[in-house]
Structures are given as structure tokens and as C-alpha cells.
Amino acid sequence: MTFMGVDTRCLGLFLLCTIIGHSLEIKVNPPQDFEIMDPGLLGYLYLQWKPPVLMENFKECTLEYELKYRNVDSDNWKTIITRNLIYKDGFDLNKGIEGKIRTHLSEQCTNGSEVQSSWMEASYGISDAGSLETKIQDMKCIYYNWQYLVCSWKPGKVAHSDTNYTMFFWYEGLDHALQCSNYLRDNEKKVGCKLSNLESSEYKDFFICVNGSSNMEPIRSSYTVFQLQNIVKPLPPEFLHISVENPTEMRMKWSIPEGPIPPRCYTYELVVREDGISRESATDKNDMKLKKRANDSEELCFFVRSKVNIYCADDGIWSEWSKEECWEGIKIYFHSVCLGERASISIDDRLTENLIFIWK
């Protein structure tokens, strides 16, 4: 009599329906053949699986999959809920990767209760050919002025003199990984690479692998992943100008650096020097007004540098400092007719050619 009340969709399909006392427990199988696959894109991996056993015969229910994955040294799992049978993401291949997945059964098939399968697990790691000391050191990449990428490295600590390093790169939009065609060399040894014309490469993961070969021993590969907009180093501002508009205030202006970086993407840091005392200021505009420390300051100088701001990138690299610009003021002494005393004013000497002084 009890089985007459069981939903017939549970019979002979992927659900296991058991009676515990007078309650009905519904179980769903986990996904099949879960694996982490490397298509050779330097860290961009495919996590893929197949539906639970006999799932294709049960079309009325909607399945979702809960996918968790991480690098093995991370404390945090990244979690994705999807109805697809594949998920793609970038990883640091210097470390191992692990993932796990389970099935979620839609509430329409379970009378509103939550039903999940057990976990299926998978892992992936590249072979550790070569000792760690043969891998390149101090890998650094800078995207200069949002126009070209320069990466540099030092040879591994124990790499033999015949070691030859090779750099490959890939980002979404390329059909396959490409090798550097413009190496930087030191005594004929490859120590870096310059990449230009990286079309539509910003705001997506950029993967790099530097491997090597030697007749003496295997060379450990090194993997790097970043986004180009986060490693931009702009040009420094030019055409600086400083003026004193009234006895208490000065104004500084400069040109926006040339290049493809939009003006709205800049932030600036200034160092202002007044009679030997320096102070720092910041702004997102290419001019600034500041109060003078004293009305009779004789030395006013500043220099400035630029960086991509938080509205266009998560991080960035400061440009070099600009040349210093100083206010070339002069003092003119005059006799005050009203006050009957000697007084002075400071003016910009670039304006003196337009002044006419009349005295008796």
C-alpha cells in the first residue's frame, strides 16, 4: 500500500526512492566522468562532466550542478552553480588544482525539498620535470602605456650555461598559444620578451609559460597569469606649469600623457616644494589648486607622476616622475603713497614684459 503513494517518476530511473518508517527519501546520483582537462592554453582549463546515470530518460526534471574548485594551497573554494556540462577558468599551473561537483535536483521533482547527490572529485597537476632551482626567477611583466608588454626574467639558480628559455602566451581570442617572436637578450641568452599589437587583450586573463631546454638536465616550466590593464605603466605627464593667482593660493597644471589611455583613467600624485618644505597631494584631474604655506614664499616647485585609476583597473604601476617645474617669481619693491612705507609684492617674471612702471 505504501508504494502506491510514490511518485511514479521515481521508479526505474535515476532516483532511488526508499521508505524509512513512513517517510520517503529521494536520492540523486552524482555526475559521471568528472575531469579537469588541459587543452594546452597555459592554465586555461576545462572542468567537464556527464549527467547522472539514466538522467537523459527523465526530461521533466531540471538538474543543476554545484561545482567547487581551487588551487591546492588555497583556503577558499570558488563555487559555481550551473546547468551546463562544462566550465572553463584560468588557474596557476605552478600549483595543483582540485575540484568537486554534485547534482542538485529541482524542487518540482521533490515536493519542495532540497535533494543533492554525493560529491565527485577530480584533480590536476602538471609533471614536475626538472628541479625547482632550474625554473626562471624574478619574472616581471609591465604593459607600457597600454601599448606593448615587456616581460623579463633571470635564469634559474642552478641552470646550466647552455639552458635556452622559451616564452609562450595565450589569451581568449587566440586559437592557440603563441611563442614570443621578439626576445630580449643578454650575452645571447634570452632574458625577456617584448609583445606588441595585443589586440582585444585587456580585461581578460593573460597566460604566460616560460619553459626551457638543456643538454644537462630537464628545466622546470614557470607559469604566470594576470590581466594587462592591472600592470600598465603610463608615461609621465609633460608641459607642467605653476602660477600664483593671489597671495595665498597657487595653481598647478600639466598635460595628459600621450597614448591610448583614456583621460578618465588617470590618477596623479604631486610633490610640491615650497621654500624647501615638501608635501604630497593626489587628484584625478590634470590641474590642482593649493593653499600656500606662506604669503611671501620665494620658491614654489612641483613634479608629478601618473597611474591608471581604480575605475579602469584593479591595480597599476606608477609612471616615472616628471621633470620639476618651478615658479619663477620676483619681488618688486615700491613706495606706498597711502601708507607712506616701503612694501613688496611677488609676481610672475613672465608677466613683467607687459608691465609699465610709472614713478616720480
Side-chain angles (χ1 to χ4, degrees), residues 17-255:
C17 303
T18 59
I19 304 301
I20 303 177
H22 296 287
S23 63
L24 179 66
E25 182 184 14
I26 302 177
K27 295 182 179 179
V28 62
N29 289 320
Q32 301 182 87
D33 301 333
F34 177 45
E35 64 176 346
I36 303 174
M37 191 186 76
D38 186 350
L41 301 178
L42 314 182
Y44 191 67
L45 303 182
Y46 299 170
L47 295 87
Q48 56 190 27
W49 57 93
K50 295 179 182 178
V53 176
L54 301 176
M55 187 57 221
E56 62 272 19
N57 297 327
F58 202 74
K59 298 180 180 180
E60 296 182 31
C61 284
T62 300
L63 280 188
E64 290 184 335
Y65 303 100
E66 180 183 359
L67 173 66
K68 291 179 177 287
Y69 58 91
R70 65 180 180 180
N71 280 108
V72 293
D73 65 339
S74 174
D75 295 328
N76 301 318
W77 292 88
K78 187 171 182 179
T79 301
I80 300 296
I81 302 296
T82 180
R83 296 181 182 179
N84 298 324
L85 298 176
I86 188 171
Y87 190 80
K88 304 175 184 180
D89 204 354
F91 295 86
D92 180 0
L93 290 188
N94 295 304
K95 309 163 187 175
I97 298 102
E98 58 184 353
K100 56 184 180 180
I101 191 170
R102 63 182 176 181
T103 308
H104 282 235
L105 190 61
S106 62
E107 295 182 356
Q108 72 184 51
C109 295
T110 62
N111 294 323
S113 61
E114 185 176 356
V115 177
Q116 302 165 343
S117 75
S118 58
W119 291 101
M120 289 291 291
E121 298 181 352
S123 61
Y124 178 77
I126 59 172
S127 60
D128 293 333
S131 66
L132 188 62
E133 288 75 17
T134 63
K135 185 169 71 171
I136 61 166
Q137 308 175 76
D138 300 335
M139 177 72 164
K140 296 179 181 178
C141 293
I142 298 176
Y143 196 30
Y144 285 96
N145 207 37
W146 213 297
Q147 291 177 307
Y148 60 93
L149 177 69
V150 174
C151 293
S152 60
W153 59 81
K154 295 179 181 178
K157 293 180 180 180
V158 299
H160 290 274
S161 58
D162 74 331
T163 300
N164 180 43
Y165 291 106
T166 306
M167 188 182 113
F168 295 87
F169 66 96
W170 181 86
Y171 57 89
E172 192 171 0
L174 298 180
D175 294 332
H176 56 273
L178 301 177
Q179 185 183 164
C180 172
S181 59
N182 186 13
Y183 284 105
L184 308 178
R185 299 176 184 271
D186 182 17
N187 293 325
E188 300 303 318
K189 299 295 182 181
K190 297 174 185 175
V191 294
C193 173
K194 180 179 179 180
L195 299 175
S196 304
N197 302 318
L198 298 172
E199 297 181 3
S200 303
S201 55
E202 297 87 4
Y203 300 102
K204 58 183 70 173
D205 287 342
F206 195 101
F207 299 87
I208 288 178
C209 171
V210 180
N211 58 25
S213 61
S214 169
N215 293 326
M216 304 298 295
E217 63 177 329
I219 304 299
R220 178 79 65 91
S221 297
S222 174
Y223 296 88
T224 306
V225 57
F226 48 76
Q227 294 197 354
L228 290 178
Q229 76 279 357
N230 295 332
I231 57 170
V232 172
K233 183 176 182 178
L235 294 174
E238 296 182 315
F239 306 112
L240 281 64
H241 177 73
I242 183 171
S243 61
V244 175
E245 299 186 346
N246 57 64
T248 64
E249 195 172 50
M250 55 184 163
R251 184 177 184 181
M252 292 148 291
K253 300 174 67 175
W254 55 91
S255 66

